[in-house]
Amino acid sequence: MAGLVAAALLVMSAGAALAWVPGVRLPRGPLFRVEGSQLSVFCNVSALDETGGLDFEWTLIRRSEPPVRLRLVSTRDPAFAHASQRHRVLSTEVAIRRPAPGSVQLLIGKVRKSDEGDLECSVPAADGRYRGEYTALVQLKVVPDTLQLTGPDAVETLTLHQGQSLALHCAVASSSPLHLHVAVSFVLQEAAAGRGQPVVGLDRDLALDVDTGGPFWLRFTRGEVGLQKFGASSYHLYVQHVELQDTGRYQCVAAQWLQDPDGSWQKILEKSIPLVELSVQPNELSVLAEVSVAPAMFYRGDTVALLCNASLGAPLEDRQMSVGWWGPGQRLLASLDRRGVRAAGDGRTAAGTELSVDRPGEMCFRLRLHGARRQDQGLYRCQLALWARSQDGHWYQAAAASSSPTTLFLYLTLSDTLTLPAVVGAVTSLSVSIAIVAGVTCCFLRRLRKRRDVQS
């Protein structure tokens, strides 16, 4: 009886001892990785509340005859690595990280073809010996790097003015035997920020990918920024109406994605090439407006000419200009479109004065009032718009500027001075006229009386 009790106690104590023994878990294999890419493998154990003091070891087992075991890294022994792997560990190309008490992560910065084989994660027993339930294996297969990006032979320095269009392209190709998904994006490397800002891309499922909180999102929704794919390998970026913040270096970035046996997607390789160094210059469009007439003074009824002179921060070249004229009361009087065609206005001022607009010079626009009236006096201004043509032939407004208001004042004519009493007031005019008539009448009657007295 005592023997049975002792046996039972032995079995119970053995069961209690095995209760904390962890089960080692690795992702399902095989794992395919591209030569030169990064590798990250997690090794987890069960019974997390009992594993605070466990150590982990990683070993590479090459599938040769006989198999070759190469120790890599350990959480308990800094000198665990095999001599052939020690320099990789010291340079942290191969490293181990413990994100949680029951989990470790193997990190390989650049996978080599010689890393192909079985990766073994082991939890050594307290006495230093290995037992089967403490170990798990996952197969690693390393394939050659066939991802190729093609762009310009040299990084071009390109200068554009605000409102012009940018078009870039790159080619991405791969001949890997694996079923890989490729994601391609264009990235702006801002010199001031020192970081990469994604512009637009295609994700691994060939869906357009734009950062909804990024600076290009709103312009993407308006159709001003986009990406097009032509054929199997050509990707084109277009940016309409470039802005000052678009300055920087543009890169083409391609990433290969692979679905592991457990269903998770892994980015196994990423490459980038520079495309262009872009500098966006502002369109400094300044406008001056002045009234000129010959002779120096002009009167009501004269033809008054107002000139709108433009100066640009860039040569006019293949650009066009339009003008609009505003008069008293902020009323749009007339306008010319970029082709020189009259686009607005009924040809008269609010007072009914006839108007005409023309362009006497490349940088000068003229508004004329034929037979100016007193009601035409007031503030006049012009507004110029600079138009440029994109690479697809579309015309767009690149810049605009408005002149300072100019006051139009008309001098009085001789006829105005003769009818001055009417301007001062009808009552004053009438009283003055009555006084004059009364004075003349009284004077005439006195002289007539004197003549009669002399004759008598």
mmCIF file of all heavy atoms in Angstrom, residues 322-343:
data_model
loop_
_atom_site.group_PDB
_atom_site.id
_atom_site.type_symbol
_atom_site.label_atom_id
_atom_site.label_comp_id
_atom_site.label_asym_id
_atom_site.label_seq_id
_atom_site.Cartn_x
_atom_site.Cartn_y
_atom_site.Cartn_z
ATOM 1 N N SER A 322 -5.082 87.106 -69.478
ATOM 2 C CA SER A 322 -6.423 87.659 -69.603
ATOM 3 C C SER A 322 -6.555 88.828 -68.640
ATOM 4 O O SER A 322 -5.775 88.954 -67.689
ATOM 5 C CB SER A 322 -7.482 86.593 -69.301
ATOM 6 O OG SER A 322 -7.344 86.119 -67.968
ATOM 7 N N VAL A 323 -7.538 89.709 -68.898
ATOM 8 C CA VAL A 323 -7.696 90.912 -68.084
ATOM 9 C C VAL A 323 -9.170 91.162 -67.819
ATOM 10 O O VAL A 323 -10.044 90.826 -68.635
ATOM 11 C CB VAL A 323 -7.064 92.141 -68.776
ATOM 12 C CG1 VAL A 323 -7.808 92.471 -70.051
ATOM 13 C CG2 VAL A 323 -7.027 93.335 -67.843
ATOM 14 N N GLY A 324 -9.442 91.732 -66.651
ATOM 15 C CA GLY A 324 -10.777 92.192 -66.315
ATOM 16 C C GLY A 324 -10.696 93.590 -65.742
ATOM 17 O O GLY A 324 -9.748 93.932 -65.016
ATOM 18 N N TRP A 325 -11.671 94.445 -66.102
ATOM 19 C CA TRP A 325 -11.702 95.835 -65.641
ATOM 20 C C TRP A 325 -12.918 96.043 -64.743
ATOM 21 O O TRP A 325 -14.043 95.686 -65.098
ATOM 22 C CB TRP A 325 -11.794 96.793 -66.829
ATOM 23 C CG TRP A 325 -10.499 96.949 -67.591
ATOM 24 C CD1 TRP A 325 -10.136 96.295 -68.736
ATOM 25 C CD2 TRP A 325 -9.428 97.842 -67.278
ATOM 26 N NE1 TRP A 325 -8.898 96.705 -69.146
ATOM 27 C CE2 TRP A 325 -8.429 97.668 -68.273
ATOM 28 C CE3 TRP A 325 -9.198 98.755 -66.259
ATOM 29 C CZ2 TRP A 325 -7.246 98.372 -68.280
ATOM 30 C CZ3 TRP A 325 -8.009 99.470 -66.257
ATOM 31 C CH2 TRP A 325 -7.051 99.282 -67.259
ATOM 32 N N TRP A 326 -12.696 96.653 -63.571
ATOM 33 C CA TRP A 326 -13.772 96.989 -62.640
ATOM 34 C C TRP A 326 -13.836 98.503 -62.480
ATOM 35 O O TRP A 326 -12.809 99.190 -62.407
ATOM 36 C CB TRP A 326 -13.531 96.350 -61.282
ATOM 37 C CG TRP A 326 -13.982 94.924 -61.207
ATOM 38 C CD1 TRP A 326 -15.137 94.444 -60.657
ATOM 39 C CD2 TRP A 326 -13.289 93.771 -61.693
ATOM 40 N NE1 TRP A 326 -15.214 93.076 -60.778
ATOM 41 C CE2 TRP A 326 -14.088 92.635 -61.411
ATOM 42 C CE3 TRP A 326 -12.075 93.585 -62.360
ATOM 43 C CZ2 TRP A 326 -13.714 91.347 -61.750
ATOM 44 C CZ3 TRP A 326 -11.692 92.303 -62.712
ATOM 45 C CH2 TRP A 326 -12.504 91.203 -62.408
ATOM 46 N N GLY A 327 -15.076 99.021 -62.401
ATOM 47 C CA GLY A 327 -15.269 100.453 -62.261
ATOM 48 C C GLY A 327 -15.949 100.825 -60.958
ATOM 49 O O GLY A 327 -15.983 100.016 -60.018
ATOM 50 N N PRO A 328 -16.501 102.048 -60.858
ATOM 51 C CA PRO A 328 -17.155 102.487 -59.627
ATOM 52 C C PRO A 328 -18.232 101.508 -59.169
ATOM 53 O O PRO A 328 -18.972 100.939 -59.984
ATOM 54 C CB PRO A 328 -17.766 103.846 -60.036
ATOM 55 C CG PRO A 328 -16.900 104.327 -61.157
ATOM 56 C CD PRO A 328 -16.496 103.095 -61.902
ATOM 57 N N GLY A 329 -18.282 101.315 -57.854
ATOM 58 C CA GLY A 329 -19.243 100.357 -57.308
ATOM 59 C C GLY A 329 -18.841 98.913 -57.511
ATOM 60 O O GLY A 329 -19.675 98.012 -57.409
ATOM 61 N N GLN A 330 -17.552 98.652 -57.794
ATOM 62 C CA GLN A 330 -17.034 97.296 -58.017
ATOM 63 C C GLN A 330 -17.817 96.575 -59.115
ATOM 64 O O GLN A 330 -18.124 95.383 -59.027
ATOM 65 C CB GLN A 330 -17.079 96.489 -56.711
ATOM 66 C CG GLN A 330 -16.127 96.984 -55.644
ATOM 67 C CD GLN A 330 -14.684 96.892 -56.118
ATOM 68 O OE1 GLN A 330 -14.230 95.858 -56.591
ATOM 69 N NE2 GLN A 330 -13.969 97.995 -55.996
ATOM 70 N N ARG A 331 -18.135 97.315 -60.158
ATOM 71 C CA ARG A 331 -18.892 96.751 -61.279
ATOM 72 C C ARG A 331 -17.921 96.279 -62.359
ATOM 73 O O ARG A 331 -17.025 97.023 -62.758
ATOM 74 C CB ARG A 331 -19.842 97.803 -61.845
ATOM 75 C CG ARG A 331 -20.721 97.327 -62.996
ATOM 76 C CD ARG A 331 -21.737 98.406 -63.353
ATOM 77 N NE ARG A 331 -22.638 97.967 -64.411
ATOM 78 C CZ ARG A 331 -22.461 98.244 -65.703
ATOM 79 N NH1 ARG A 331 -21.412 98.973 -66.074
ATOM 80 N NH2 ARG A 331 -23.325 97.818 -66.604
ATOM 81 N N LEU A 332 -18.108 95.032 -62.803
ATOM 82 C CA LEU A 332 -17.283 94.508 -63.890
ATOM 83 C C LEU A 332 -17.706 95.176 -65.183
ATOM 84 O O LEU A 332 -18.841 95.022 -65.640
ATOM 85 C CB LEU A 332 -17.427 92.991 -63.992
ATOM 86 C CG LEU A 332 -16.651 92.312 -65.139
ATOM 87 C CD1 LEU A 332 -15.153 92.541 -64.990
ATOM 88 C CD2 LEU A 332 -16.969 90.813 -65.181
ATOM 89 N N LEU A 333 -16.774 95.916 -65.766
ATOM 90 C CA LEU A 333 -17.079 96.679 -66.979
ATOM 91 C C LEU A 333 -16.806 95.874 -68.242
ATOM 92 O O LEU A 333 -17.625 95.845 -69.165
ATOM 93 C CB LEU A 333 -16.255 97.966 -66.995
ATOM 94 C CG LEU A 333 -16.499 98.927 -65.828
ATOM 95 C CD1 LEU A 333 -15.559 100.120 -65.933
ATOM 96 C CD2 LEU A 333 -17.946 99.380 -65.787
ATOM 97 N N ALA A 334 -15.639 95.234 -68.300
ATOM 98 C CA ALA A 334 -15.253 94.513 -69.513
ATOM 99 C C ALA A 334 -14.117 93.556 -69.179
ATOM 100 O O ALA A 334 -13.417 93.714 -68.168
ATOM 101 C CB ALA A 334 -14.821 95.488 -70.606
ATOM 102 N N SER A 335 -13.923 92.567 -70.042
ATOM 103 C CA SER A 335 -12.822 91.614 -69.858
ATOM 104 C C SER A 335 -12.434 91.030 -71.201
ATOM 105 O O SER A 335 -13.248 90.963 -72.132
ATOM 106 C CB SER A 335 -13.213 90.495 -68.892
ATOM 107 O OG SER A 335 -14.249 89.697 -69.433
ATOM 108 N N LEU A 336 -11.185 90.613 -71.275
ATOM 109 C CA LEU A 336 -10.656 89.887 -72.435
ATOM 110 C C LEU A 336 -10.137 88.549 -71.961
ATOM 111 O O LEU A 336 -9.392 88.485 -70.965
ATOM 112 C CB LEU A 336 -9.532 90.672 -73.107
ATOM 113 C CG LEU A 336 -9.888 91.981 -73.818
ATOM 114 C CD1 LEU A 336 -8.629 92.637 -74.354
ATOM 115 C CD2 LEU A 336 -10.888 91.725 -74.930
ATOM 116 N N ASP A 337 -10.491 87.462 -72.639
ATOM 117 C CA ASP A 337 -9.958 86.163 -72.261
ATOM 118 C C ASP A 337 -8.535 86.014 -72.785
ATOM 119 O O ASP A 337 -7.983 86.927 -73.404
ATOM 120 C CB ASP A 337 -10.873 85.032 -72.730
ATOM 121 C CG ASP A 337 -10.966 84.918 -74.251
ATOM 122 O OD1 ASP A 337 -10.122 85.531 -74.956
ATOM 123 O OD2 ASP A 337 -11.867 84.222 -74.739
ATOM 124 N N ARG A 338 -7.923 84.862 -72.538
ATOM 125 C CA ARG A 338 -6.515 84.671 -72.903
ATOM 126 C C ARG A 338 -6.275 84.730 -74.409
ATOM 127 O O ARG A 338 -5.151 84.945 -74.854
ATOM 128 C CB ARG A 338 -6.015 83.335 -72.346
ATOM 129 C CG ARG A 338 -6.783 82.132 -72.860
ATOM 130 C CD ARG A 338 -6.216 80.819 -72.323
ATOM 131 N NE ARG A 338 -6.977 79.664 -72.770
ATOM 132 C CZ ARG A 338 -6.832 79.098 -73.952
ATOM 133 N NH1 ARG A 338 -5.944 79.588 -74.799
ATOM 134 N NH2 ARG A 338 -7.556 78.051 -74.288
ATOM 135 N N ARG A 339 -7.342 84.547 -75.189
ATOM 136 C CA ARG A 339 -7.202 84.607 -76.647
ATOM 137 C C ARG A 339 -7.456 86.005 -77.192
ATOM 138 O O ARG A 339 -7.404 86.222 -78.404
ATOM 139 C CB ARG A 339 -8.170 83.620 -77.293
ATOM 140 C CG ARG A 339 -7.915 82.170 -76.931
ATOM 141 C CD ARG A 339 -9.100 81.299 -77.287
ATOM 142 N NE ARG A 339 -10.289 81.695 -76.540
ATOM 143 C CZ ARG A 339 -11.485 81.131 -76.688
ATOM 144 N NH1 ARG A 339 -11.637 80.142 -77.559
ATOM 145 N NH2 ARG A 339 -12.513 81.553 -75.967
ATOM 146 N N GLY A 340 -7.777 86.958 -76.277
ATOM 147 C CA GLY A 340 -8.051 88.320 -76.704
ATOM 148 C C GLY A 340 -9.491 88.545 -77.091
ATOM 149 O O GLY A 340 -9.824 89.592 -77.669
ATOM 150 N N VAL A 341 -10.379 87.614 -76.787
ATOM 151 C CA VAL A 341 -11.792 87.735 -77.130
ATOM 152 C C VAL A 341 -12.536 88.358 -75.955
ATOM 153 O O VAL A 341 -12.328 87.965 -74.797
ATOM 154 C CB VAL A 341 -12.401 86.356 -77.467
ATOM 155 C CG1 VAL A 341 -13.885 86.485 -77.769
ATOM 156 C CG2 VAL A 341 -11.652 85.739 -78.646
ATOM 157 N N ARG A 342 -13.401 89.313 -76.252
ATOM 158 C CA ARG A 342 -14.173 89.957 -75.190
ATOM 159 C C ARG A 342 -15.100 88.925 -74.556
ATOM 160 O O ARG A 342 -15.880 88.259 -75.247
ATOM 161 C CB ARG A 342 -14.975 91.118 -75.769
ATOM 162 C CG ARG A 342 -15.625 91.982 -74.700
ATOM 163 C CD ARG A 342 -15.997 93.329 -75.279
ATOM 164 N NE ARG A 342 -16.588 94.197 -74.271
ATOM 165 C CZ ARG A 342 -16.727 95.500 -74.403
ATOM 166 N NH1 ARG A 342 -16.290 96.078 -75.515
ATOM 167 N NH2 ARG A 342 -17.277 96.231 -73.470
ATOM 168 N N ALA A 343 -15.046 88.835 -73.224
ATOM 169 C CA ALA A 343 -15.743 87.754 -72.532
ATOM 170 C C ALA A 343 -16.829 88.237 -71.602
ATOM 171 O O ALA A 343 -17.679 87.455 -71.191
ATOM 172 C CB ALA A 343 -14.727 86.903 -71.746
#
